[in-house]
């Protein structure tokens, strides 16, 4: 799927509060498409941002360092500004679920994308942000097709299949989420037209987006994977399962040569169907994360 042409954008009518100050949804989806076949790297300081940029990352996510016992919020705007002045690639930053004021602040400091992230502490348990009220594209997480489509209806221009949030390096949850989404899409594409209404009701998703997904055979926005992706093989696996790219967490910098590891993952995303390139990129990465199982994740940070 990552080799397909440009994603057809969702064409439903969008009601905005100020049409002169906001990009149409089609523009936001187009901006998100620019990140396809790329790796988005989470960074916490300008030095990591420089490494990610030089290693070929398509975008960076600015995050604060995780501190146990502290409510996790959006990154410090001064950190975002500093990193923005350091690198030339697009910058993404996280805001809490439902916290539209954090998103307003991030938009005002000039981020290129906003991730309404369930990794952070939840600000609103009932309501997600109305993403149509912003100029910048939003990224939202999901664990199944219905959730993905609900986020698209709210204005998400990119969907992120979310796996393990503990930073353990365990990829099983991510694979489960990606396969669930892709499996439901395959079921949808084989339904008769008169069965689509029932399917959309079953997964609690807007009918028009369900119908468009059936027609396209994929989500109408770019679809990335996040959680536990720490090796070139992990990244290539997500691409072969049908994703358009991957998110890589802060743990990629916890080794002696983070540039080499990021560069290898970026190359794996771009050459995910070439075992020879993947073998070459996997050589010399002996410092694989030690915490690979869910039974040993106490004290780890929440990350992609």
């Amino acid at each position: 799927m990552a080799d397909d042409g440009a994603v057809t954008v969702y064409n439903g009518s969008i009601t905005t509060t100020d049409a002169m100050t906001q990009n149409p949804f089609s523009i936001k989806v187009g901006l998100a498409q620019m990140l396809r076949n790329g790796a988005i790297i989470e960074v916490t300081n300008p030095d990591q941002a420089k490494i990610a940029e030089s290693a070929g990352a398509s975008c960076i996510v600015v995050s604060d360092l995780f501190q146990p016992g502290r409510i996790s919020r959006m990154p410090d705007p001064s950190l975002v500004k500093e990193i923005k002045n350091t690198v030339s690639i697009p910058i993404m930053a996280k805001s809490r679920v439902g916290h539209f004021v954090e998103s307003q602040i991030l938009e005002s400091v000039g981020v290129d994308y906003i991730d309404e992230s369930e990794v952070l502490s939840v600000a609103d348990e009932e309501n997600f942000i109305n993403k149509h009220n912003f100029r910048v594209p939003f990224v939202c997480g999901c664990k199944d097709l219905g959730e993905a489509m609900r986020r698209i209806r709210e204005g998400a221009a990119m969907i992120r299949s979310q796996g393990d949030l503990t930073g353990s390096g365990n990829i099983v949850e991510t694979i489960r989420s990606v396969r669930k989404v892709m499996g439901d899409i395959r079921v949808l594409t084989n339904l008769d037209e008169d069965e689509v209404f029932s399917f959309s009701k079953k997964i609690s998703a807007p009918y028009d987006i369900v119908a468009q997904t059936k027609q396209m055979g994929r989500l109408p926005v770019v679809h990335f994977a996040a959680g536990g992706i720490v090796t070139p093989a992990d990244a290539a696996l997500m691409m072969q399962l049908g994703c358009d790219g991957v998110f890589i967490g802060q743990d990629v910098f916890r080794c002696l040569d983070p540039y080499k590891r990021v560069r290898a993952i970026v190359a794996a995303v771009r050459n995910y169907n070439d075992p020879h390139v993947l073998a070459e990129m996997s050589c010399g990465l002996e410092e694989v994360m030690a915490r690979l199982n869910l039974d040993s994740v106490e004290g780890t940070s929440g990350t992609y």
Side-chain angles (χ1 to χ4, degrees):
M1 184 174 296
D3 283 337
D4 293 343
V7 181
T8 303
V9 300
Y10 167 58
N11 292 318
S13 61
I14 300 300
T15 302
T16 58
T17 57
D18 188 352
M20 295 301 293
T21 62
Q22 289 145 24
N23 290 326
F25 186 65
S26 59
I27 298 296
K28 298 176 187 177
V29 173
L31 291 171
Q33 288 177 20
M34 295 172 61
L35 304 181
R36 295 181 74 214
N37 296 319
I40 300 176
I41 312 297
E42 185 176 11
V43 303
T44 59
N45 57 59
D47 290 336
Q48 291 180 354
K50 291 178 182 178
I51 292 172
E53 180 181 37
S54 62
S58 61
C59 178
I60 56 175
V61 185
V62 180
S63 297
D64 281 333
L65 283 172
F66 176 76
Q67 298 180 21
R70 184 178 71 91
I71 295 295
S72 52
R73 302 180 175 90
M74 71 173 185
D76 188 322
S78 63
L79 175 63
V80 175
K81 291 179 180 179
E82 183 180 4
I83 292 178
K84 184 176 176 63
N85 292 329
T86 301
V87 299
S88 59
I89 59 177
I91 292 178
M92 184 183 296
K94 301 176 186 177
S95 69
R96 285 178 280 176
V97 169
H99 205 313
F100 53 85
V101 175
E102 284 190 348
S103 295
Q104 291 169 356
I105 293 171
L106 293 174
E107 183 177 60
S108 72
V109 299
V111 300
D112 300 288
Y113 305 89
I114 296 175
D115 184 349
E116 187 177 10
S117 177
E118 65 274 31
V119 174
L120 305 182
S121 302
V122 175
D124 191 330
E125 295 179 337
E126 299 293 332
N127 304 288
F128 280 76
I129 296 170
N130 180 358
K131 291 161 273 290
H132 297 302
N133 290 336
F134 293 82
R135 296 186 302 275
V136 299
F138 270 74
V139 180
C140 285
C142 79
K143 290 193 174 182
D144 56 52
L145 185 59
E147 186 177 11
M149 292 180 173
R150 293 191 294 274
R151 300 292 85 81
I152 295 171
R153 164 56 75 216
E154 295 161 357
M158 177 191 290
I159 292 297
R160 164 176 41 77
S161 278
Q162 186 68 60
D164 178 39
L165 304 181
T166 63
S168 67
N170 194 309
I171 202 172
V172 64
E173 293 288 342
T174 310
I175 293 176
R176 183 181 296 123
S177 296
V178 170
R179 284 196 178 277
K180 176 63 175 172
V181 171
M182 298 303 181
D184 285 347
I185 290 176
R186 286 192 293 272
V187 170
L188 173 61
T189 56
N190 288 309
L191 293 179
D192 292 334
E193 293 297 333
D194 55 358
E195 296 176 315
V196 177
F197 289 98
S198 177
F199 183 85
S200 62
K201 182 178 180 180
K202 179 181 178 181
I203 65 173
S204 302
Y207 169 76
D208 54 344
I209 298 180
V210 174
Q212 185 180 11
T213 300
K214 171 178 169 57
Q215 180 182 20
M216 296 172 59
R218 60 157 295 147
L219 286 173
V221 301
V222 284
H223 178 200
F224 275 50
I229 303 170
V230 295
T231 68
D234 291 342
L237 174 60
M238 294 298 101
M239 299 298 289
Q240 290 194 30
L241 288 176
C243 292
D244 297 307
V246 297
F247 282 82
I248 306 299
Q250 303 172 18
D251 290 319
V252 74
F253 293 101
R254 295 172 186 168
C255 63
L256 292 178
D257 192 352
Y259 170 81
K260 182 177 181 180
R261 183 174 292 277
V262 174
R263 183 173 62 85
I265 292 174
V266 169
V269 170
R270 296 173 178 172
N271 302 276
Y272 63 92
N273 270 328
D274 190 333
H276 299 289
V277 173
L278 297 178
E280 180 181 352
M281 291 298 100
S282 299
C283 291
L285 300 179
E286 68 283 350
E287 289 188 47
V288 178
M289 292 174 57
R291 300 186 306 275
L292 294 179
N293 295 307
L294 291 176
D295 58 1
S296 59
V297 298
E298 290 187 12
T300 56
S301 63
T303 185
Y304 289 121

